[in-house]
Amino acid sequence: MSSGPSSMDESEPNVAAVPPSDESASRTSTELAEISVLWSLVGTWTFPATIARRTQSCGLWSAWIMHVASVVLGTATILYLIAWSRTGYGGLDWTEWEFFTLVTSGIQELHSSATGAVLPLLGIFLLVEGIHFGVALLAMPWGARDERLRSSFKNSLRQTWLHTSHFLAGILIVGGVAIGLDISDRNWEAANPPPVIEWPPYPTLSSTGPNDPNYARMMADYRAALERYRIETKPLIAQLSAWQAQRPVYLQNPVPVIILAAWITVAWILWALFRAVGASRQVCPIDRPPMCLECGYNLHTLPMEGRCPECGQPVAASIGPDAQPGAPWQYREETGWLSAWRRTATQVICQPADFGRRLRLEPWSTDHRGYFALHLPAIGLIAAVAVSVGVIIVDGWDGFVSDRVTMLFGPAMFGMVCCALAVGLTLLVAWVAGVGLSRLAGRNLLAASMQAASYLISFVVLCQIFSATVIIAAAALDRARFFKALEDRFGINDDFAMFVFVALPLVCMGIYYYSLVHRATAAARYANR
């Protein structure tokens, strides 16, 4: 008999030589996740993917607690900025006093009307939670894997809750821009005081009624006084307008600047959220039998050189080394970027089913995200050019140039809105097609639908070019009073006719876009990789 094991059990264990148990490793991972949850208050702003990888094992309860804490901090930040503006951007003591005044007055108002405040507070709470649930559902396909559907949703919901803290940065940025503009405006007025203008008294009309015999004479005198007032104030208004025109452009039109800053902040927040939802994470592999990509027949016992007995598809085409090679875009380094882009766009639009059978669900690839992001600047630029040309057609070049707000901010804002709509449409179509087919196939197909929808962004660009042409044509027809003629002839409201003229092609293209995503996703339901 050997006494080695027995003696080793009785001796003092060598800590350095004993590997950590699964329980201790799990406890260490959980502790790191909890620490990363705390760091998510600031880390989601700058390192969203890193924080996401470190928080993938944290519970939804912890993420929701951080979500609530972020909402409270965000509300406090808004109140503090309001208090600072009310004090005229004074010292810290006055700002704190005004802040606590706002808080205590709000608490007292809630306490005095406790019953009436329950429903509004509950409504606000449900609205905030509903928005976060909606965002989590919409972002769910972006980071979905070949896993259970609820696992994809939990990952998306966890990161959405943790990214509530990112709105703190958004509040500070947008609030800082608004406050900065207000301070700059005050400083400019201090350095350039307004002209001292003595306005003449505004004419008044006696309260006598039409039955008064002198009513006609009094109305004539009143109209004459109004005309004299207009003539006297015309140079005064011109003097005041000249003083206003000396302000910098961003001070003359502060609202568009704030809106543009808000859009940029929202884009930054969404970028960080998508980085977090789509970060690499550990997914338990699901054992699946080798299936025919065409019909789903089990190919487990068939030789590689054989054929599927159900549909006649070669076995090698489904499980061979060259099966499911992926999109041509994934080989852009070997074939060249332009050639890979052209082949990908052509295949996914013209042959969506064949393209879907090429897609790989595992191992996870992010090439489709780069392909998708590559087209967003083109969508924004096309939209900006279209709205600029439309304004020029309607108002003329002089009208477009004279309105500096439209010239500087209008096209940029419209381009950003169209980019946001393209992102939302892609995610929504991927979600609807992926969830619907997942229930039919008994398998999570969101990864396939997201790839198909992302690669079909080239089709969205084509739709954007067509819709831009339609918008420009609608502006030209409106200038030619074509829609007004339809209203006079058939009784159709001109605005409604113009809306239908622009919207109907977009609806048709949207339906066709969904059908392409659906066909490509359905073809990937038997993917072996």
Side-chain angles (χ1 to χ4, degrees):
M1 294 181 59
S2 173
S3 60
S6 151
S7 61
M8 181 175 293
D9 291 339
E10 295 172 0
S11 62
E12 182 179 354
N14 186 349
V15 178
V18 176
S21 63
D22 294 339
E23 183 181 354
S24 61
S26 176
R27 185 169 58 253
T28 303
S29 176
T30 303
E31 292 174 354
L32 290 176
E34 297 298 335
I35 294 174
S36 297
V37 166
L38 294 176
W39 273 107
S40 66
L41 283 173
V42 293
T44 53
W45 309 355
T46 51
F47 304 104
T50 302
I51 294 297
R53 284 191 293 267
R54 293 180 179 178
T55 56
Q56 60 180 308
S57 60
C58 89
L60 290 179
W61 177 252
S62 300
W64 186 78
I65 292 296
M66 295 305 298
H67 157 68
V68 173
S70 299
V71 171
V72 173
L73 288 175
T75 305
T77 303
I78 293 175
L79 292 177
Y80 193 86
L81 292 177
I82 293 175
W84 192 32
S85 64
R86 285 188 177 184
T87 59
Y89 313 109
L92 186 61
D93 295 338
W94 285 104
T95 303
E96 290 181 352
W97 175 263
E98 183 65 25
F99 172 76
F100 285 113
T101 301
L102 287 174
V103 173
T104 53
S105 62
I107 294 175
Q108 291 175 358
E109 184 175 351
L110 289 176
H111 185 269
S112 61
S113 59
T115 305
V118 170
L119 289 180
L121 287 177
L122 181 61
I124 294 173
F125 172 79
L126 293 178
L127 177 62
V128 171
E129 296 304 314
I131 291 174
H132 279 80
F133 266 83
V135 172
L137 283 173
L138 196 61
M140 179 179 166
W142 188 258
R145 305 288 194 268
D146 188 14
E147 58 189 354
R148 302 178 71 177
L149 276 174
R150 69 179 183 182
S151 298
S152 298
F153 178 67
K154 286 175 64 176
N155 171 67
S156 181
L157 182 61
R158 178 189 300 110
Q159 298 306 327
T160 302
W161 275 341
L162 291 178
H163 271 263
T164 308
S165 62
H166 203 161
F167 282 94
L168 289 173
I171 292 170
L172 291 174
I173 291 175
V174 177
V177 170
I179 290 176
L181 289 173
D182 191 20
I183 293 176
S184 298
D185 187 69
R186 295 188 181 198
N187 293 336
W188 187 89
E189 285 198 11
N192 304 272
V196 179
I197 297 177
E198 294 184 3
W199 296 93
Y202 192 82
T204 57
L205 179 64
S206 177
S207 59
T208 57
N211 296 329
D212 192 320
N214 298 323
Y215 180 75
R217 181 180 58 78
M218 294 172 60
M219 286 298 301
D221 293 341
Y222 177 71
R223 285 192 289 269
L226 281 179
E227 181 63 20
R228 288 194 301 272
Y229 179 83
R230 187 186 66 81
I231 295 174
E232 292 175 1
T233 57
K234 187 175 182 179
L236 302 179
I237 294 175
Q239 184 181 1
L240 187 62
S241 299
W243 174 76
Q244 293 281 3
Q246 296 176 5
R247 296 175 183 267
V249 176
Y250 59 88
L251 293 182
Q252 294 182 32
N253 305 281
V255 175
V257 177
I258 297 173
I259 295 175
L260 186 60
W263 270 108
I264 294 174
T265 303
V266 169
W268 176 37
I269 292 174
L270 292 178
W271 166 83
L273 176 61
F274 290 149
R275 285 273 295 164
V277 173
S280 60
R281 54 191 173 90
Q282 296 178 355
V283 176
C284 296
I286 300 177
D287 292 332
R288 303 184 187 277
M291 294 182 289
C292 174
L293 294 179
E294 191 70 28
C295 65
Y297 186 83
N298 192 337
L299 305 175
H300 181 65
T301 59
L302 297 180
M304 188 67 67
E305 61 274 7
R307 287 182 174 272
C308 174
E310 188 74 22
C311 64
Q313 180 82 2
V315 174
S318 298
I319 59 176
D322 297 328
Q324 295 180 246
W329 179 253
Q330 296 177 257
Y331 302 95
R332 59 191 177 277
E333 299 295 340
E334 294 81 3
T335 61
W337 285 54
L338 184 60
S339 175
W341 174 85
R342 178 182 56 81
R343 292 173 57 199
T344 300
T346 303
Q347 288 183 16
V348 72
I349 295 174
C350 301
Q351 300 170 325
D354 293 339
F355 186 85
R357 282 187 285 270
R358 295 176 58 98
L359 297 178
R360 293 185 175 187
L361 306 189
E362 293 293 344
W364 184 249
S365 173
T366 59
D367 292 293
H368 62 285
R369 299 176 182 172
Y371 186 89
F372 176 79
L374 187 66
H375 292 74
L376 289 181
I379 292 176
L381 180 61
I382 293 170
V385 171
V387 72
S388 300
V389 174
V391 172
I392 291 173
I393 291 175
V394 174
D395 298 335
W397 175 256
D398 293 337
F400 177 74
V401 175
S402 61
D403 190 353
R404 285 180 287 185
V405 176
T406 302
M407 184 176 63
L408 294 176
F409 300 108
M413 291 181 185
F414 188 72
M416 295 181 69
V417 169
C418 288
C419 287
L421 291 177
V423 174
L425 175 66
T426 302
L427 291 171
L428 179 62
V429 170
W431 191 92
V432 174
V435 171
L437 289 170
S438 296
R439 295 190 175 277
L440 294 176
R443 178 183 184 182
N444 189 344
L445 294 176
L446 285 175
S449 64
M450 190 68 243
Q451 291 186 62
S454 297
Y455 284 122
L456 275 166
I457 191 65
S458 52
F459 177 76
V460 176
V461 173
L462 295 177
C463 295
Q464 180 80 356
I465 295 173
F466 181 77
S467 62
T469 306
V470 171
I471 291 174
I472 294 173
L477 292 174
D478 183 59
R479 184 176 178 84
R481 301 183 63 81
F482 172 78
F483 300 107
K484 189 64 177 176
L486 287 179
E487 183 178 15
D488 297 338
R489 180 71 181 275
F490 302 103
I492 303 175
N493 183 270
D494 57 342
D495 293 332
F496 178 75
M498 186 175 181
F499 172 78
V500 172
F501 181 83
V502 174
L504 186 60
L506 295 178
V507 172
C508 295
M509 288 184 293
I511 294 174
Y512 187 65
Y513 170 67
Y514 174 79
S515 70
L516 292 176
V517 176
H518 188 275
R519 291 161 63 186
T521 306
R525 64 189 182 277
Y526 302 126
N528 296 299
R529 296 187 175 89

